[in-house]
Amino acid sequence: MAKIALGTSREVTQPDCIQALVVEFIVTFLFVFAGVGSAMAAGKAEASPVVGLLFVGTTHAFAAAVMIAAGFNISGGHLNPAVTIGLAVGGHITVVRSLLYWFVQCAASAAASFLLYYLTAGLATPIHTLAKGMDPLQGILMEVVLTFSLIFTVYTTMVDPKKGPLQGQGILLVGLVVGANIFAGGLFSGASMNPARSFGPALVSGDWTDHWIYWVGPLIGGALAGLICENFFIVRSHVPLSRDDEDV
């Protein structure tokens, strides 16, 4: 079984942690700015649901791939609390640093959403909410499956040491699965897969309808994917992050 590393409060003052948090804020900000901006642009253009879905899904796929690549060597380019929890349960990031990542991811999403609201002269900021006729359980299950797919892809193409030839392509593949999942679930649950991505628009609009679903579903899906991949599919000759690191 994977060993979860708790970490210590001293991590907050470590230069590498501070650098990682700054980069994670920047890449999450730019990802949300592009993603939410594309949804606002589709609304302003009065695009049909199908055209809007294609536009938003493609934008998220490109933005995710580019921003993951930009932050990968410093913060890991998580962009997403669900990715962070998925890697935390696999022992790849401490719990303390995970909580710090969550904070900066949500702060970045809020900052990007507020800036978009200002730049568009108060244009409505679309939130993630369930489609008419979809109940909360269906929404949660949809988000669990979509997020599981995302974190499963992260593990099998970027984390698994046996997938050396794929690691160079993994970032692009993760971006592609983000887009594919939006195409599949966007008209049903909104296909958030990312609590931080949902948080910023909800905060700016003041509309928290169904918001809890976009925390519960993605975090369950991310944690489940991390546990299954790390404990059943990945074979290592070393522990990713030992508890000795907690005393650094």
Side-chain angles (χ1 to χ4, degrees), residues 131-226:
K132 185 177 180 180
M134 193 171 209
D135 64 41
L137 179 58
Q138 291 172 319
I140 289 172
L141 290 176
M142 176 70 81
E143 290 296 321
V144 167
V145 173
L146 295 177
T147 311
F148 183 95
S149 169
L150 171 60
I151 311 308
F152 178 81
T153 304
V154 169
Y155 261 92
T156 54
T157 66
M158 296 172 63
V159 177
D160 190 343
K162 301 190 300 296
K163 303 298 184 182
L166 278 179
Q167 285 181 325
Q169 307 167 30
I171 292 172
L172 174 60
L173 298 175
V174 170
L176 291 177
V177 82
V178 168
N181 284 346
I182 291 175
F183 296 155
L187 296 181
F188 300 101
S189 70
S192 169
M193 302 169 280
N194 185 337
R197 165 64 179 79
S198 298
F199 175 78
L203 181 65
V204 171
S205 67
D207 188 348
W208 301 94
T209 303
D210 300 324
H211 183 71
W212 65 276
I213 290 171
Y214 301 103
W215 283 88
V216 174
L219 293 182
I220 291 175
L224 187 62

Side-chain angles (χ1 to χ4, degrees), residues 68-156:
I68 292 170
F72 185 74
N73 289 327
I74 301 174
S75 71
H78 293 193
L79 316 177
N80 182 347
V83 172
T84 301
I85 196 173
L87 294 174
V89 298
H92 298 278
I93 182 173
T94 67
V95 172
V96 169
R97 190 172 295 204
S98 295
L99 293 175
L100 294 172
Y101 269 38
W102 282 17
F103 176 80
V104 299
Q105 287 159 354
C106 288
S109 177
S113 298
F114 274 113
L115 181 59
L116 281 166
Y117 181 80
Y118 170 73
L119 294 176
T120 59
L123 192 66
T125 306
I127 66 168
H128 284 127
T129 188
L130 299 182
K132 185 177 180 180
M134 193 171 209
D135 64 41
L137 179 58
Q138 291 172 319
I140 289 172
L141 290 176
M142 176 70 81
E143 290 296 321
V144 167
V145 173
L146 295 177
T147 311
F148 183 95
S149 169
L150 171 60
I151 311 308
F152 178 81
T153 304
V154 169
Y155 261 92
T156 54

